[in-house]
Amino acid sequence: MPTSLLNQNSPSPYSTDIKSETHITSTNQLPQKLYAEVVVNIPLNKVFHYSVSPHLRENLTAGMRVKIPFGNKIIAGFCVGFTHTPFTDKTKDIIGVIDKIPLIDDLMLKITKWLSSHYCCGWGEAISAVIPPVVRSKKKEKWNGFVRRNEHTVTLDHDTLLNMKVRAPKQAKVLEILLEHPTEISAKELIRISGCKMPGLRQLEKKGFVILENKLPDAANTPRTIDRLQQHLTLTQEQQNAFDIINKKLEQPKPGIILLHGITGSGKTELYLQTITKALEYGRKAIYLVPEISLTPQTIQRIKARFDKVAVLHSNLLGTVHQSQWNDIKEGKVDIVVGARSSIFAPLKNVGLIIIDEEHENTYKQENIPRYNARDIAILRATCENALVIMGTATPSLESYSQALNGSYEKIVLSKRIGERQLPPVDIVDMGEEVRKRRGYNIISQRLQYYMNQSLARNEQVILFLNRRGFAPYIHCKRCGFVLKCHRCDIPMTFHKKFNTTLCHYCHAEAHPPESCPDCLANTMNYRGFGTEKIEDEIKNKFPNHTIIRMDSDSMRVRDAHEKALTAFERGEFQILLGTQMIAKGLDFPNVTLVGVISADTILNLPDFRASERTFQLISQVAGRTGRGTKGGRVVVQSFNPRHYSITYAAAHDYEGFARKELEYRKQLNYPPFGKLARIVFRSPQENKAKEKSSIVGDKLKELAKINGNHLEILGPSPAPMTKINNLFRWHILLKTQDHASIHTALHGVADMLKPTKSVQTMVDVDPYMML
Ligand code: ADP
Ligand code: ZN
C-alpha cells in the first residue's frame, strides 16, 4: 500500500489548492459571514468559495450539492466545507441548495479528497464518481433492462385494455406487444416499437401490469442446492488456526490488514463468511469486494444463503433498484454490501470488516477517472474506520505479498485443500516441439487430446481455456503481406465466423471480411491464429460424440446466458466447457477432471511488466478449477515458451518460488512493488501533435529529474504499444520513482502543461495497470 495513503499531506499536483481541512457541519454556532467551499465536476483540483446568504445557511451542510454561477453558466457543485476567509473578496452567492440530506458523509469527503490528490484528478470528479448516477442525477435514466408481463397482480381483460387505449395509448401498445411475447423483451426494443418511454413503463409497473427486470442474472434466483450452503461448516484445523488469528485481530482497536494466502479450494470463502458473522456479532458491518459480480455467481449465492441483510451492488442495476439499495444502505437496513470495486464507496456506516476476494485481480483498478485501485481505497477506508481488511487469494499480487514479507500485513497461509484433495498435476506441452513432431501446427496437442479422451470416456468433464474470442485474430494477404486493420485503430481485425464479420476488439468497429486483398487485389486472403470460436469448431470435429458449450462475451450476450450456461454445465448437460477469462475464476465443479490451457502465451507476450505475473496467476487460477472432487484432476498447459519461469512455477504450484524470482527482476528494474509508476498518455487526431506535446512534457520532466535528483526516471516519450485507437494517435511517458511523493512532485511540475487542449488530450494514470 502506498504509505501516503495515510498521510494527507503528501505533495500532489494540486493539493496546494485545497486549503480547507475542517468541515463545519453544524450551522448553529456560526458567526455572521460564512463562505462555502465548493468543488465542481471538472478536471481541475480547485476549491471555489461562494457566499451563503442567511436564508440558505440552515439548509446547507457539507456533502450536499449546490447551484452556483460558474463562468457564464449555472451549474451544480458539491459543498465540501466552510470557511470564514475566502480566497477573494469578490465571491458570488450560492443560488440554491439541491439536496435535503448530504449525498456523502465526512468519511467520503476525506476519501474523495485523497483520491483527487493521489490520482491527480478533480475533487469534484472524484465525488461524482463515488455516487451512482441515479442517486446523483434527475435526468431521464437510460436503462438496458428487460420488461415482462406481470401475470400475478392484475388480470388484463379486454375492458381494461380498451380503457387504456383511450387514456394511455402508448402504454396499451406496450401491453399488446407483451401479450404476444411469452418471455421478457428488452426495454430498449419495447420503447422503440411502442413509443412508450421509460416513465410510461414505470407507471405500468406501478399499476401492476409489468415487471421491470435488471439485465444481470440474479444469482439468488437460480435453483441450486442452497441449503447445503446455509450452515457454517466445521472448520478444518488449518482453517481454525487462521480463524483464531483473524478473530484476535478483529477484536483489536486498530485491526490492520491480513493477507490470506490460500490455495484454490482451501476454504477461504468459508473463512470470510464466518468472519462476517463475528463482525456482525460485534455490531459492525461488512463490505465484501469481488472482482466482478457477474463472474462470481457461486460466491454471491453463498453469501446470500447465509445472511439476510445483504445488498448486492451491480453496476447495471435497474435505476430505481440501485437508488433504493443505496438508500437502504444509508439508512442502516443493510449489514453486508457485496459488489465490485465501486462498492468500496457504499454509504455503509460502522464498517468493521472489508474483504477483498481475489485481491490480485486487475478489475480492482478503475480505468477511467478517478483511476483508483479499490484495494488501496479499502485500506484507506478501513484505517479511517478502524476496520479489519482481509485480502484473500491463491496468487497474491506482488504489491500485497511484499507488504506481507516486510511485516506490514499479517500473512496467513492455507496450504491444504479441503478434504486433503491434491492440487492437480500440471503437464506443460512444448508446442514448438509438437509442431516439429507433427510437421505442422495443431491447436490441440496430442497430449491434451489424449487426456480429453480419457476424461470424457469416464463421463467426467473438461474445461478448456483460451484468452481470445472470435475465430481468427489476424487476416492477411499471403501475396503482398497486407494485414486487415481497423480503420480507426492500428489493430488487426478479428474474424467472427458466426456473424460473418470482422470486428475491432478495441473500438467495436465492424467490417465485411474482404473477398480479395484490398491492396493487391489477389485472391489470397488468409486467416491466421485462433480464438474460442475456432476452437469450438475444432473440438466439434475432433469430439463429435460430446457436447461443448462456449462462454465468451460473444456467446453470452443474452440475458442470464452466463448463469444458465454454468447451471447446465453443472448438471452435466455438457461435457466440455470452453471459455475466456470469464471461466477462470471461482467455479467449483467436482466432476471437472481436466483443464486445458490452449495457449499460455497470449498474455506472456504482452509488452507489460506484469505479463509474467498475470500468466502465473492465470494458470494457477484455471488449474484451480479441477481436482475439486474426489476424482482428482489434471491440467495441460500448451505453450511455445514452456521453460518460462511463470509457467514452470505455476506448473509446480510454487508461488513462493515464482515470487522470489519475479521480485528480483522487479527490484533490478525498479518496477512496483519497489518503484512507483505513473503513466501519461497523449492522444491526438494528428500524430505529430501527440508526439510534439509528449516531447515538450518529457523534456520538462527530464529537467525536473535533474534538479530534484530524487531518482525520478523518465521513460519515453514513445509511441504507446497501441499506437492508434479510435482515430487518436497515442504517445506516452512513464515516470518511475522510489515513492509516491516524488511522482506527485513531478506531476505537479508539469500540471499546467497537462491541461487538455483542442488538439491533444492527456491522461494521467498513477499506479497504472494498463500499459498498452
Ligand atoms: P476457496 O475460497 O479457498 O477456493 P472455498 O471456501 O470455496 O475455498 O472451499 C472449497 C470447497 O470446500 C467448497 O465447496 C466449500 O463448501 C468446502 N469447504 C470449505 N470449508 C469447509 C469445511 N470446513 N468443511 C467442509 N467443507 C468445506
Ligand atoms: Zn478499432
Side-chain angles (χ1 to χ4, degrees), residues 7 39-40 79 92 114 117 126 145 174 195 205 212 233 308 356 412 517 530 552 656 664 681 746:
N7 174 6
V39 296
V40 291
C79 174
K92 292 179 186 162
W114 184 85
S117 72
V174 167
E205 186 186 32
L212 304 186
L233 301 168
D308 282 337
I356 311 173
I412 301 179
C517 175
F530 50 86
D552 56 30
E656 259 85 32
E664 229 170 79
V681 181

Side-chain angles (χ1 to χ4, degrees), residues 228 233-236 239 262-270 302 418 588 628:
R228 81 173 156 92
L233 301 168
T234 312
L235 297 178
T236 62
Q239 279 176 319
I263 60 174
T264 51
S266 58
K268 296 184 291 294
T269 312
E270 184 60 33
R302 283 168 76 177
I418 298 292
D588 185 2
R628 299 179 79 98

Side-chain angles (χ1 to χ4, degrees), residues 486 488-489 504 507 509:
C486 171
R488 290 198 292 245
C489 312
C504 169
C507 77

Side-chain angles (χ1 to χ4, degrees), residues 600-627:
D601 307 326
T602 47
I603 293 175
L604 196 56
N605 293 334
L606 291 176
D608 180 337
F609 74 96
R610 286 192 179 91
S612 302
E613 184 181 4
R614 288 179 54 201
T615 301
F616 179 89
Q617 288 166 350
L618 195 72
I619 296 176
S620 309
Q621 291 292 330
V622 283
R625 301 309 120 229
T626 184

Side-chain angles (χ1 to χ4, degrees), residues 411-431:
K411 187 168 81 159
I412 301 179
V413 176
L414 296 178
S415 61
K416 297 194 193 89
R417 276 189 161 181
I418 298 292
E420 301 290 319
R421 294 201 174 113
Q422 299 302 309
L423 280 171
V426 180
D427 272 43
I428 306 172
V429 178
D430 179 347
M431 291 307 274

Side-chain angles (χ1 to χ4, degrees), residues 486-489 491 493 504-509 726:
C486 171
H487 64 287
R488 290 198 292 245
C489 312
I491 283 160
M493 297 289 273
C504 169
H505 284 183
Y506 292 88
C507 77
H508 310 294
N726 244 328

Side-chain angles (χ1 to χ4, degrees), residues 385-416:
E385 298 199 78
N386 294 322
L388 173 68
V389 177
I390 303 180
M391 302 189 188
T393 173
T395 53
S397 65
L398 290 165
E399 282 84 349
S400 302
Y401 186 66
S402 63
Q403 295 286 354
L405 285 183
N406 73 24
S408 305
Y409 301 175
E410 167 124 22
K411 187 168 81 159
I412 301 179
V413 176
L414 296 178
S415 61
K416 297 194 193 89

Side-chain angles (χ1 to χ4, degrees), residues 470-511:
F471 192 83
Y474 201 73
I475 305 168
H476 72 134
C477 172
K478 274 184 168 168
R479 184 159 165 263
C480 72
F482 170 87
V483 175
L484 186 70
K485 286 189 174 172
C486 171
H487 64 287
R488 290 198 292 245
C489 312
D490 188 31
I491 283 160
M493 297 289 273
T494 298
F495 177 58
H496 287 250
K497 192 172 166 198
K498 182 171 174 213
F499 308 112
N500 188 29
T501 189
T502 71
L503 291 177
C504 169
H505 284 183
Y506 292 88
C507 77
H508 310 294
E510 193 175 344

